[in-house]
Amino acid sequence: GLFASRSFASKSIPFSQIDNGLQNWTPHTKLKSWVKQRAEEMKPDFIRFLDGSEEENEDLIQELVRIGTLIKLNEKLRPNSYLARSDPSDVARVEECTVICSKKEIDAGKTNVWRDPTEMRAELKKLFDGCMKGRTMYVMPYSMGPIGSPLAQTGVEITDSAYVAVSMRIMTRMGVEALRAIGSDKFFVPGVHSVGAPLKDSETDSIWPSSKTKWICHFPEDREIWSYGSGYGGNALLGKKCFALRIASVLARDQGWFAEHMLIMGVTNPEGVKKYVAAAFPSQCGKTNFAMLEPTLPGWKVEVIGDDIAWMKFDEEGVLRAVNPEAGFFGVAPGTSMASNPNAMLSLTKNAVFTNVGLTKDGDIWWEGLGERPEGVISWKRRQLAEGNPEPVAHSNSRFTCSASQCPVIDPVWEDPKGVPISAIMFGGRRKTTVPLIYQSFGWDHGTFLGSVTCSETTSAAS
């Protein structure tokens, strides 16, 4: 009874049975207490402790298909893949509602929005009171980074969105193995997420429940994440930006490592010498395309460790080593094609979830950049677009989600718990004018300065 059996964890239990459920789930006293407190506040009808199994995932997907949140794509064209279309008001990260609730305002950083933690907690207490009525509360233990790696960290997310649960299974190492890593007393980052749409007894659920009120809150000293009102992307998949960048950067500062918005790629020259490079670009500036580059120079090879986030630490010998904390790709769809990124396209041939892209007549996906627009395509707003209609088929921040293991150029050591040695760091962004396309610093000090003053045009990754 130390850890949940798959048969137990794959089933929801009534809220009234939470004590027995927690006892069977984990021996971790602090984790049990935290889950129970949150359940008592949010008042879900049912609770489901997720184990990450294939059977459980299929169960969640079928429920999402039944209520219309997911549409199954053509099995012959896109096996085991699904399309989701969000509410038009919930399509990207909400920067103005994404806040850092550090005790001191200066600790939030100059580019972030700060809120007083006491005031924010009082506001959240009202919002989260009863916010899961009529819903199932999913409890997800997960690991960021290969389980057992000295660079890995564990978290537990509570959510009332099965879409989030299905996505977290792709993007993180979610389930019973992560729960074992947390054990009976290990540290974990607690994250609470709700779409903020409680259901009355007779009320029919929305295809994409969300709330006009949205908050994505980080409490760095307490290592906590609270997210309310959005079911989309980085607002709701709390392992991604919230944990792997925002909370992790505080852990890293306190513990002597780095959590960075960087891709990691392995580059092998014609002589067979391989070096690993990290590169920092903002969202929608080409990290995924760059990480999966197909070199045109004869004899060169590029392989991907990660396309978005790098956790880095100096080892005992002074070598800077990096892991990709994520297990999947959550990439921007428009502009991704066999011409711009064939390896991304080949990663998406099966077992993928697409959000806010177009649906073709034959049950496949389409977005701008995939050649001529097919006749009768249905846009992300669920409208069939006539020929000549200039309205976009896919939202500019529409996404694909797939396992990194499906990428044809995934590096053989991408899950090595030791990480890979970093030989160089690049900084970049999206700029049409003023600066050279590429330039090299005179050394590390000059490079640090250039990285600190690099700026980028705004993109549609955040609303």
Side-chain angles (χ1 to χ4, degrees), residues 430-453:
R430 184 187 287 265
R431 296 288 294 275
K432 292 192 189 78
T433 59
T434 310
V435 296
L437 179 63
I438 186 165
Y439 52 99
Q440 185 175 347
S441 68
F442 296 119
W444 281 102
D445 288 348
H446 185 225
T448 302
F449 166 72
L450 290 177
S452 73
V453 297

Side-chain angles (χ1 to χ4, degrees), residues 283-411:
S283 292
Q284 284 200 345
C285 291
K287 284 193 303 301
T288 301
N289 287 2
F290 190 31
M292 300 180 190
L293 195 71
E294 283 283 346
T296 54
L297 296 173
W300 287 80
K301 183 164 76 167
V302 167
E303 292 164 299
V304 57
I305 295 279
D307 76 325
D308 193 36
I309 299 171
W311 285 0
M312 303 188 289
K313 187 177 185 177
F314 287 100
D315 66 13
E316 300 79 15
E317 296 170 2
V319 176
L320 183 62
R321 291 191 167 270
V323 297
N324 171 13
E326 300 188 283
F329 300 130
F330 183 69
V332 176
T336 302
S337 68
M338 288 304 290
S340 68
N341 192 340
N343 289 314
M345 294 300 294
L346 294 170
S347 304
L348 303 172
T349 56
K350 59 185 178 181
N351 309 319
V353 176
F354 301 88
T355 305
N356 287 347
V357 303
L359 179 65
T360 64
K361 286 199 295 189
D362 57 359
D364 201 7
I365 43 86
W366 192 88
W367 53 73
E368 281 68 19
L370 289 182
E372 192 175 333
R373 192 165 86 178
E375 184 186 340
V377 67
I378 298 171
S379 79
W380 74 277
K381 290 184 175 179
R382 303 178 177 86
R383 291 202 282 262
Q384 192 166 44
L385 301 183
E387 191 176 343
N389 187 330
E391 186 179 314
V393 170
H395 187 273
S396 57
N397 191 47
S398 55
R399 297 280 175 158
F400 56 78
T401 312
C402 69
S403 172
S405 62
Q406 295 188 175
C407 181
V409 290
I410 194 75
D411 197 287

Side-chain angles (χ1 to χ4, degrees), residues 68-86:
T69 303
L70 290 183
I71 297 166
K72 182 166 175 56
L73 298 173
N74 186 316
E75 184 66 21
K76 290 180 181 175
L77 299 174
R78 199 78 53 174
N80 195 35
S81 296
Y82 298 86
L83 169 66
R85 295 181 289 204
S86 76

